[in-house]
Structure formats: structure tokens, C-alpha cells
Amino acid sequence: MDTSPLAPGLYIVATPIGNLGDMTRRATDTLGRCDLVACEDTRVTGKLLNLLGLHKPMRRYDDHASDGAREALLAEMAIKAVALVSDAGTPLISDPGYKLVREARARGVTVTSLPGASAVVTALSMAGLPTDRFLFAGFLPNKEKARGDVLTELSGVPATLAFYETGPRLVASLEAIAERLPRREVAVARELTKLHEECRTGSAAELATYYSAQPPKGEIVLLIAPPGESEAPDDDVIDAELRAALTEMSTSQAAGKVAKAHGLDRKALYARAMALKQ
Ligand code: SAM
């Protein structure tokens, strides 16, 4: 292993999402040669460094850190090699680092990214859903209404939709998908790269029934196939969305919102909304 010091700068280092074998040689090398490791949780990263047989100074960092703490780290990058890692996977992907990278680049600091594991790409490459276009949207909101609004907003996007999910929330999310996107194929990719890895596909309703009976443990990526060529949403789904929208906005706005979400004709939906109002 190369043990020479690294040039000053910021090194974005991906770490495994559950299987230590996915730590790349270059990532290990960089953690061994850097001067400082910035991380979300020093206990989690401390364990990883121990497993790799490395001893490095660590500094807790996330995007909620004070401006002063970020400034201090940025100042160090001018003279030291600073590695940024998250608890697992690729930093900045639903993890801290965006503000740090943006600021570092603005100041002319050299930013190097070391690719490695990321749950979203791992799930996409094994699920058998289209991968030519995908839209990663992080975690769905916790609250029912906000979650429904996001699904409606994204329902017309011609791409596989990818979300991060947790066991306790999975069934509620699947039920929300079943209500709004009943005909889409869905994949639940769970415990990726770990002993109990599974990837189960079906309609959202089928998967909700399955996981209600066996509450899922562990970490999850949820994928939703793009709208099919001939897929038109059920009339009652459209009516339910129009009714919900009419409680918050004018008829014209409600028709526009639902038409945009499903790629449907706005005038036809306006007429339908008027009929629903009577
Ligand atoms: N930065 C990470 C990445 O690149 O994948 C993601 C961090 S995000 C805070 C954590 C979420 O990623 C989990 O709630 C889960 O949705 C997903 N995730 C992480 N590891 C996973 C795994 N082994 N299997 C399935 N999903 C995983």
C-alpha cells in the first residue's frame, strides 16, 4: 500500500453499505494517507477504521454544522488532505457533504471523488426495472399528505423513481403508491450486500400485503417503474386526486395540477372537475 502523504484537498470517500468487501483499495489507501477524516459519527467511522487497521484523527461533520466548524475544515483543506465519509455508502447521496463540497469548489480547493457503494445504484442494477432513466428522490416525506403530494408530482415523470425507505415506514409508503400508482411495478430492495439481501417485485398493493404480514427489518430502497406507454390512470384515481386538489385550489388549478401529474388533457380534466363539484 502506498503510504506517501496525499496532496491537500477534499477527498470524498465511499464506504460499504453493509459488506466490508465492498471497500475499494483506493478508498482504504486514501483513508490511510489522509491527514484527517471528517465523518457523520465518529463511533461508526471509528469502527470502520479499526476494521481496516487504520488510526486517523476524526472530526464530526454534517451539513448542520456551524459556519465556524465548516470554515475551520475548509481552512485545513488548503494545507491538509481531508477525507469525507458518511456512515455508509457515498457521501452527499442523502448524506452530508453538499455544503462542504460547494464551498470547497468555490474556494478553488481540489475535490476528488472516490466511487464505491451506493444503495440506490445497487438496487437499480438488480431489480430488473428500466435503468435508462431514473429519478432519485431521497426519502419520501413522513407525513401522509406531503408523501401523497410528492407521489402525485412525480407520477408523470417518464423514468424509474427511486426512494430511500425504512422498515417501519415501508407499508404506509406502499399503500400510498397503491392508491396513486396502482398499475406500476414496484421493487423493494432490502438489506443490500448483507446476509439477508432480498429484492421483491410486484404491484404496490401486493407488496403492502406481503410486508404487512412480515414487517420488514433493515434498510430499504423502493423503486417504481415508469408509466407504461398505454398506461392511463384509473378514472377513480383521477377523480380522487381532483377532489383532493379541489379542497385546496380553484377548479382550473386543480385540473392543471392533475393533468400535469399524469400527462392528461387539461380541458378534459377541467370538465371533469366541474362535474365533480356539482
Ligand atoms: N449515502 C448512502 C448511499 O450512498 O447509499 C445512503 C445514506 S441514507 C442516510 C440511508 C438509506 O440508504 C437507508 O435508509 C436505506 O434507504 C438506504 N440504504 C443504505 N444501505 C442500504 C442497504 N444495505 N440496503 C438497502 N438500502 C440501503
Side-chain angles (χ1 to χ4, degrees):
M1 190 166 88
D2 187 353
T3 51
S4 60
L6 285 172
L10 175 59
Y11 295 79
I12 308 300
V13 181
T15 58
I17 55 170
N19 188 325
L20 189 62
D22 294 329
M23 184 75 188
T24 69
R25 268 175 65 178
R26 188 170 169 227
T28 306
D29 207 49
T30 298
L31 293 181
R33 294 169 64 198
C34 70
D35 300 301
L36 172 67
V37 180
C39 57
E40 277 184 274
D41 184 330
T42 52
R43 281 164 309 177
V44 174
T45 299
K47 272 190 204 154
L48 175 69
L49 292 178
N50 262 338
L51 287 168
L52 299 171
L54 300 172
H55 302 279
K56 283 285 156 179
M58 288 182 281
R59 170 104 42 94
R60 215 187 85 71
Y61 174 81
D62 64 31
D63 284 332
H64 305 294
S66 67
D67 289 348
R70 190 159 35 252
E71 276 304 320
L73 211 46
L74 286 160
E76 285 183 88
M77 285 170 207
I79 48 168
K80 290 182 182 172
V82 178
L84 176 72
V85 300
S86 51
D87 285 352
T90 301
L92 280 86
I93 307 302
S94 286
D95 265 338
Y98 163 69
K99 288 184 182 171
L100 195 64
V101 168
R102 192 164 173 80
E103 237 349 273
R105 293 183 66 83
R107 293 171 190 213
V109 170
T110 304
V111 180
T112 306
S113 179
L114 287 79
S118 188
V120 60
V121 173
T122 309
L124 276 162
S125 59
M126 79 189 292
L129 267 51
T131 51
D132 53 337
R133 278 181 169 196
F134 65 89
L135 187 149
F136 172 60
F139 288 89
L140 278 166
N142 258 327
K143 295 207 171 125
E144 197 180 329
K145 167 139 184 6
R147 185 166 53 216
D149 287 350
V150 169
L151 288 170
T152 301
E153 181 195 346
L154 298 177
S155 60
V157 174
T160 292
L161 304 176
F163 300 96
Y164 280 162
E165 197 41 271
T166 63
R169 302 173 1 145
L170 177 68
V171 170
S173 293
L174 288 169
E175 284 170 350
I177 297 165
E179 199 182 314
R180 285 166 185 80
L181 307 166
R183 301 201 196 153
R184 301 282 184 91
E185 186 178 358
V186 172
V188 173
R190 203 172 63 81
E191 292 290 85
L192 296 172
T193 76
K194 303 183 198 176
L195 187 61
H196 298 294
E197 172 176 287
E198 71 165 359
C199 183
R200 196 167 281 274
T201 55
S203 70
E206 286 162 358
L207 292 167
T209 306
Y210 177 83
Y211 285 111
S212 300
Q214 8 227 327
K217 290 201 180 104
E219 304 191 278
I220 294 163
V221 181
L222 191 51
L223 303 174
I224 306 175
E229 297 274 308
S230 60
E231 183 184 330
D234 289 336
D235 285 355
D236 46 1
V237 173
I238 294 295
D239 285 355
E241 285 184 22
L242 280 173
R243 279 198 191 92
L246 283 167
T247 61
E248 296 170 2
M249 54 189 84
S250 72
T251 312
S252 159
Q253 286 169 326
K257 179 178 174 185
V258 179
K260 190 173 167 209
H262 297 288
L264 295 174
D265 180 56
R266 188 189 175 109
K267 273 192 193 157
L269 285 195
Y270 182 80
R272 207 148 141 184
M274 286 301 283
L276 286 175
K277 276 175 82 175
Q278 278 152 21

